[in-house]
Amino acid sequence: MFIALLALAGGTISVAADSSRSKGAEAEGGNPVAPVSGSAEPTAEAASPEPSADSGSPEPSADAGSAEPTADAGPAEPGSPEPTKESDSAEPTAVTGSSSSDALPVGDLPGWTQVFAEDFTEGDVPLGGFPGPIYGTRWSENYKDGWPDTAAQQQPKGQRTSGYYPSKVLSVHDGVLDMYLHSENGVAMGAAPSPIVGGATQRPWNSLVYGRISVRFKADALPGFKLAWLLWPDSKQWPQDGEIDFPEGDLSKVIYAAVHGLDASGTHVIEVLRPNAAFTSWHTATTEWSPGKIEFFLDGKSIGVVTSPVPDKPMHYILQTEACLTGCPAPETSGHVYVDWVGIWTKS
């Protein structure tokens, strides 16, 4: 039995972890099921994190604190019926991005060497075309249409209520990456693209040990859809090799940050920081991951420092955007997450 304790002063949740169990590969042909986030949904009375799984991670239980799984790319595995359109039109609306004062920082910063910079200004890409020729050397859609997301991996094939459908979600226009979140035929659709760093040709697309990730974004208030933009261990050994999430949260609620790992006793610890900000305004979320220290910034202001647990193994970055973790969105719920820019730096 997993036991979770919420420390009111520090925002720490501790979960006794059983690392002896592992989830077998779900992918056809034995392809591994890939990683995703597992942070607790922070509420005033939250006592346990959202359960989920990943290959190589503990098998989830109803009250466990397992990592939210994501799927590894490969042949599409549409476990749900082929969706038919029930939602509002995906026709994009014009987006006003950040002001010049909130522009993507280009170049090295004190203590950090820039390895990736994207502001989505090189051209538009229609729905179904991302990354395409314009962005294909710098982005991967990561998971193909029909691949199960965190919640779907807990459900039988053919009965899944959510999944990754990048061809129905991702486009570029007005200088932003547009994630059109909606449902079709009872399936809530998300996506989890990843930046490609250093010419990587396969997963992990952007492996690093210590780094600075900065992303400018805003979203519509969409109950049942969630962000968990995260650094996940290349090893897929969770929670022992850690996890770092920011921004995270249900899009109808507030942004939070989370760090996962094991303490000296082998207990799974989740450190949660809450800046009390909504997703519906433009924000810049920055994670600075250094030896022995992780500091989170929202709009240039520190929201807190975590010194334990701090991962020290290679990790990679995923813009994981999905649904149905604490309840599925209503069928008519639809809207957008906009990514204005993404920057990645390594520790100098």
Side-chain angles (χ1 to χ4, degrees):
M1 185 71 171
F2 287 74
I3 303 172
L5 302 174
L6 178 62
L8 297 178
T12 302
I13 300 172
S14 300
V15 182
D18 177 3
S19 60
S20 63
R21 296 174 293 171
S22 63
K23 187 176 190 300
E26 177 177 337
E28 295 176 3
N31 292 335
V33 173
V36 179
S37 152
S39 297
E41 180 74 21
T43 62
E45 57 282 325
S48 62
E50 299 166 357
S52 56
D54 172 71
S55 75
S57 299
E59 184 71 16
S61 64
D63 54 357
S66 304
E68 298 172 359
T70 218
D72 216 349
E77 183 197 297
S80 302
E82 182 64 24
T84 57
K85 189 168 177 56
E86 290 179 358
S87 56
D88 296 335
S89 171
E91 187 69 25
T93 56
V95 179
T96 302
S98 311
S99 67
S100 59
S101 62
D102 298 314
L104 167 67
V106 177
D108 297 345
L109 300 170
W112 304 99
T113 301
Q114 190 165 44
V115 295
F116 183 86
E118 178 65 74
D119 62 3
F120 301 105
T121 58
E122 289 195 17
D124 293 353
V125 178
L127 192 67
F130 185 83
I134 297 176
Y135 299 99
T137 61
R138 302 193 302 279
W139 287 90
S140 169
E141 73 270 53
N142 216 8
Y143 309 121
K144 305 296 184 181
D145 280 7
W147 210 257
D149 63 6
T150 298
Q153 286 192 16
Q154 314 301 313
Q155 299 173 325
K157 295 179 182 180
Q159 300 178 31
R160 289 167 172 162
T161 56
S162 61
Y164 296 122
Y165 287 86
S167 77
K168 295 174 178 288
V169 170
L170 300 176
S171 66
V172 176
H173 60 88
D174 300 300
V176 298
L177 174 65
D178 183 345
M179 299 185 180
Y180 170 53
L181 306 182
H182 65 289
S183 297
E184 296 183 20
N185 197 30
V187 178
M189 297 183 170
S194 284
I196 296 174
V197 171
T201 58
Q202 61 184 3
R203 187 175 288 105
W205 302 108
N206 50 69
S207 180
L208 67 158
V209 180
Y210 307 123
R212 182 182 193 271
I213 309 289
S214 193
V215 56
R216 188 151 182 87
F217 66 97
K218 78 169 181 177
D220 296 329
L222 304 173
F225 286 102
K226 178 187 177 182
L227 300 190
W229 294 354
L230 66 132
L231 285 159
W232 179 268
D234 293 358
S235 69
K236 304 181 185 178
Q237 299 302 304
W238 187 96
Q240 55 264 46
D241 287 348
E243 175 186 351
I244 305 170
D245 307 84
F246 188 53
E248 183 168 8
D250 184 292
L251 294 179
S252 67
K253 299 179 183 178
V254 294
I255 298 166
Y256 60 95
V259 179
H260 296 247
L262 299 181
D263 65 14
S265 69
T267 298
H268 174 203
V269 176
I270 310 172
E271 188 76 25
V272 179
L273 302 174
R274 305 167 178 83
N276 194 30
F279 286 93
T280 51
S281 298
W282 282 109
H283 293 292
T284 300
T286 301
T287 301
E288 292 189 351
W289 170 35
S290 305
K293 173 185 174 182
I294 303 168
E295 187 164 8
F296 297 100
F297 300 84
L298 189 68
D299 302 328
K301 297 180 181 179
S302 177
I303 66 168
V305 175
V306 173
T307 58
S308 180
V310 175
D312 59 5
K313 302 292 194 306
M315 307 185 88
H316 54 277
Y317 184 60
I318 306 170
L319 279 75
Q320 177 182 284
T321 308
E322 53 188 12
C324 295
L325 290 170
T326 55
C328 287
E332 66 274 12
T333 299
S334 67
H336 301 263
V337 176
Y338 299 114
V339 183
D340 189 18
W341 50 257
V342 179
I344 301 176
W345 294 257
T346 57
K347 191 70 176 170
S348 298

